Amino acid sequence: MRGGVFYRSNALTPSAVDLATLNGLGITAVYDLRTPSEIAATPDTMLTGATYSNIDIIGSGSSASNITSISVSSAADAIAMMEGANRSFVSDAGMRSQFNTLFNELASADGAALFHCTAGKDRTGWTAAVLLSIAGVDSGTIMNNYLATNDYTAARVAATLAAMPASMAAVYGPLLGVQASYLQAGLDEVTAEYGSMDNYLKQGLGLSQETIYVLRGKMVFYNSLPGQVGLTGNAAAGAGLLQQLQNTGLSGTYSAYNYYLQSAIDAGTLGGVEATVGGQLHADAASYLLRQDAMIEQAAAPYASGTDLKVGQSRLWSTALAGYLGTDGSSHAASSNEHSQGMMIGLTQRFSEQLSGRVGFGYSRGTVGSAGGEADTDLTFLNLGARFAPDGLERGLFVDANASGGWIDYDSKRDIGGGLGTPKGDSHGTLAGATLVLGYRLPMSSVVLEPGLGLRVSHLDLSGFREKGSELALDVDGINETRRSAVANLNASLTPIALGSWQLTPGAQVGYEHVLGDHQVDSQGHLLGLDVEQRAAFDNRDQFTGVVNVMASLGALSVGAEVGANGGGDSHGFSGGLKASWLF
């Protein structure tokens, strides 16, 4: 239970010292539950900065209006009267209407609220008991709280009774305090008429589920949410964010978050929102982009060496970029999937026996899906490369260098679920990379082998951005990541096979990449002063690729296709594409 949310009292006639205390509590609204005659007899002393509202619970038309014009002849009559008054809080339509107004006002109050009647025990006591019930407090504790009135007012009651004749004190004594039977009479009436407190709130008082949830959100802080203790990784971070948001302005208000959270408490499950709220999608998209240089190099590999050219010759070529990679869910992240499609057009030229160069220009439209979201990463890039072999490109040792740079347009949307909306965001950035490979070309009788070892470096710089479209939209930090990898490749090209006027050249490529240093990619998001970190689903340090291709040549024209598979750890995928070139 939170403190400093709702205060109950008797009529506000404080001393100067007490008024100073009250003014320091941050109370912004005072709800006076008394009749006009009671107010006229004892007006409230107003609190600084607080609004005043009179909600006359009894009302002149109420069947229990005689509560404030007391006439009893015995203690038993007094007790019966107080029990009847509490039953009227449930059975009387006029009172229920006023309680409807009161609880809706308490839910809407911006800041701490104080409610009171004359003695602070009957109308106020019932209000407090209902609020505690909404909070989920057990019946025994509610009753003890109700009876605590006798402790707080003991001195005042004793002084009043001492001023009366003993016979009168015996009759009126039960009216000055509270007894368990008073509150129990009202609670029993709830059961008799409505079956449960929840039905009384909704059917009797006409309160909406949302208002009940707002009141509960104001009063209760949950130290642990359903299932939170057993969560790990991104889901644990997401649940932590949901739990911490209870201390923000989204909690205890008419917000989508408050309704979701209170519903989750009732249902006993976070409903998967713990996995979607943290923005894992942005980490997955960054991880995907950092691996694009490898995809571009693989697609251009059949045209990279220039060994099929004579000095001075050039080859104009095009290749499709297409692939898929899925990463299975694990304890640290939700599953992700990546789709790529694009095109690259390039030119390879052989400058000398020892040197060839290439240039490629293209685009890749990537789509990354994970944790209820989808991101589109449009990459427009330029790729440059060269190969140098001191003994000639056809045989022996060679050095292959590749560099690329590109511009990224980034758009994302995340369906959080739980009625929390779909935050959307857009950003831009750059991707740069370079690969240096030392290899050896070994022609054999029926195959040419090219083993190589090297180093690849990719750098992503994605600008930070603010999502829109949800109360839980994140401010996402810029992602500035560098990925360094050791690479090993083995290319094999078989001897061309004559097929009529065409020549078919089968080939294959096997690759291995090992990430050096930190291989995990994270994203950072912020919401209402709270931080959340998410880790990409793809976190494999080692990845393997295998590609087979076939090129068919007729004179200067060459067409072909390739298909490949790649994987490592929890990730598995494939790639493929059509190719065409012209020799001149």
Side-chain angles (χ1 to χ4, degrees):
M1 293 290 292
R2 301 179 192 267
V5 178
F6 296 131
Y7 293 93
R8 55 177 290 191
S9 78
N10 56 346
L12 287 179
T13 57
S15 66
V17 173
D18 287 343
L19 180 60
T21 299
L22 288 170
N23 284 332
L25 296 177
I27 295 170
T28 61
V30 173
Y31 298 99
D32 189 341
L33 311 185
R34 298 177 296 170
T35 63
S37 60
E38 291 176 278
I39 295 171
T42 312
D44 276 351
T45 298
M46 286 308 300
L47 307 184
T48 302
T51 61
Y52 173 86
S53 299
N54 174 221
I55 301 175
D56 182 1
I57 295 297
I58 295 174
S60 60
S62 168
S63 62
S65 60
N66 64 344
I67 289 177
T68 57
S69 55
I70 300 168
S71 178
V72 293
S73 57
S74 68
D77 287 346
I79 293 173
M81 178 182 173
M82 299 310 299
E83 291 173 352
N86 277 266
R87 281 191 288 267
S88 295
F89 295 150
V90 179
S91 62
D92 187 276
M95 288 196 188
R96 293 200 305 271
S97 176
Q98 294 298 84
F99 276 120
N100 170 281
T101 300
L102 173 61
F103 288 118
N104 276 296
E105 287 288 328
L106 291 174
S108 300
D110 185 12
L114 183 150
F115 54 91
H116 76 90
C117 52
T118 294
K121 66 184 182 67
D122 302 314
R123 288 158 288 185
T124 299
W126 180 255
T127 300
V130 171
L131 285 172
L132 290 173
S133 178
I134 289 173
V137 176
D138 66 272
S139 59
T141 303
I142 292 174
M143 182 61 76
N144 289 336
N145 179 272
Y146 177 77
L147 295 175
T149 293
N150 293 331
D151 298 327
Y152 284 96
T153 62
R156 184 180 73 195
V157 170
T160 302
L161 293 175
M164 295 180 180
S167 59
M168 183 179 292
V171 171
Y172 285 94
L175 300 176
L176 300 181
V178 294
Q179 297 183 21
S181 66
Y182 301 171
L183 178 61
Q184 193 61 51
L187 296 174
D188 289 345
E189 190 71 13
V190 166
T191 302
E193 291 202 28
Y194 296 100
S196 67
M197 180 62 74
D198 190 61
N199 287 341
Y200 166 65
L201 295 171
K202 295 174 182 175
Q203 300 170 17
L205 302 188
L207 299 180
S208 68
Q209 182 67 73
E210 187 174 14
T211 294
I212 295 170
Y213 279 165
V214 169
L215 290 168
R216 190 168 75 180
K218 284 178 177 288
M219 294 184 287
V220 181
F221 178 86
Y222 295 93
N223 293 309
S224 180
L225 302 183
Q228 183 177 4
V229 173
L231 296 174
T232 59
N234 288 351
L241 177 64
L242 292 171
Q243 197 259 351
Q244 293 177 69
L245 283 171
Q246 293 178 96
N247 285 329
T248 71
L250 293 178
S251 185
T253 60
Y254 287 92
S255 67
Y257 163 77
N258 189 80
Y259 194 91
Y260 155 75
L261 185 69
Q262 302 303 323
S263 299
I265 295 298
D266 286 347
T269 173
L270 294 176
V273 173
E274 70 277 10
T276 61
V277 69
Q280 176 190 321
L281 173 68
H282 306 308
D284 285 324
S287 174
Y288 164 78
L289 286 167
L290 282 166
R291 288 176 274 115
Q292 290 307 286
D293 284 334
M295 184 190 73
I296 293 169
E297 291 176 20
Q298 178 182 307
Y303 307 111
S305 67
T307 54
D308 58 329
L309 304 176
K310 297 178 181 179
V311 175
Q313 279 189 323
S314 300
R315 183 179 294 278
L316 181 66
W317 48 268
S318 67
T319 181
L321 304 173
Y324 166 83
L325 184 74
T327 300
D328 296 336
S330 65
S331 61
H332 79 267
S335 299
S336 71
N337 59 82
E338 305 165 0
H339 298 265
S340 302
Q341 56 181 354
M343 177 70 71
M344 178 165 52
I345 298 174
L347 178 70
T348 302
Q349 182 170 350
R350 184 163 182 172
F351 299 105
S352 68
E353 293 292 338
Q354 295 83 19
L355 179 65
S356 67
R358 58 192 180 275
V359 60
F361 176 80
Y363 77 92
S364 174
R365 178 178 175 82
T367 301
V368 180
S370 69
E374 182 175 285
D376 292 331
T377 63
D378 291 341
L379 173 64
T380 304
F381 62 88
L382 179 67
N383 182 261
L384 300 173
R387 175 176 289 198
F388 175 75
D391 296 326
L393 295 177
E394 282 75 14
R395 176 185 292 273
L397 195 68
F398 66 85
V399 176
D400 197 287
N402 188 85
S404 63
W407 174 263
I408 302 164
D409 283 323
Y410 182 84
D411 290 283
S412 67
K413 61 180 180 180
R414 300 187 295 117
D415 183 7
I416 297 177
L420 294 168
T422 304
K424 299 179 181 180
D426 61 84
S427 184
H428 60 272
T430 58
L431 178 67
T435 303
L436 186 65
V437 172
L438 179 65
Y440 194 90
R441 182 176 173 86
L442 180 64
M444 301 174 70
S445 59
S446 59
V447 64
V448 178
L449 299 178
E450 281 189 4
L453 296 173
L455 179 69
R456 176 181 294 123
V457 179
S458 297
H459 180 76
L460 171 66
D461 189 353
L462 188 66
S463 300
F465 59 96
R466 174 174 293 181
E467 297 177 325
K468 298 178 180 178
S470 168
E471 292 173 352
L472 303 191
L474 297 173
D475 288 332
V476 182
D477 284 352
I479 299 177
N480 195 297
E481 289 275 353
T482 300
R483 188 172 191 260
R484 299 173 179 86
S485 304
V487 295
N489 298 308
L490 175 62
N491 298 331
S493 179
L494 300 179
T495 301
I497 302 170
L499 188 64
S501 301
W502 290 82
Q503 279 195 329
L504 300 182
T505 306
Q509 178 183 0
V510 177
Y512 167 68
E513 182 171 1
H514 176 79
V515 180
L516 305 173
D518 186 5
H519 64 290
Q520 299 172 0
V521 179
D522 300 321
S523 67
Q524 297 276 350
H526 312 279
L527 175 61
L528 299 177
L530 302 174
D531 302 330
V532 61
E533 180 176 298
Q534 297 281 276
R535 178 173 156 190
F538 183 97
D539 69 344
N540 307 317
R541 187 180 293 277
D542 300 298
Q543 190 170 20
F544 301 86
T545 59
V547 178
V548 293
N549 60 71
V550 59
M551 304 298 294
S553 302
L554 178 63
L557 175 65
S558 178
V559 295
E562 71 175 23
V563 293
N566 55 79
D570 296 325
S571 301
H572 306 279
F574 60 85
S575 62
L578 301 177
K579 302 177 183 295
S581 68
W582 183 265
L583 180 67
F584 62 94

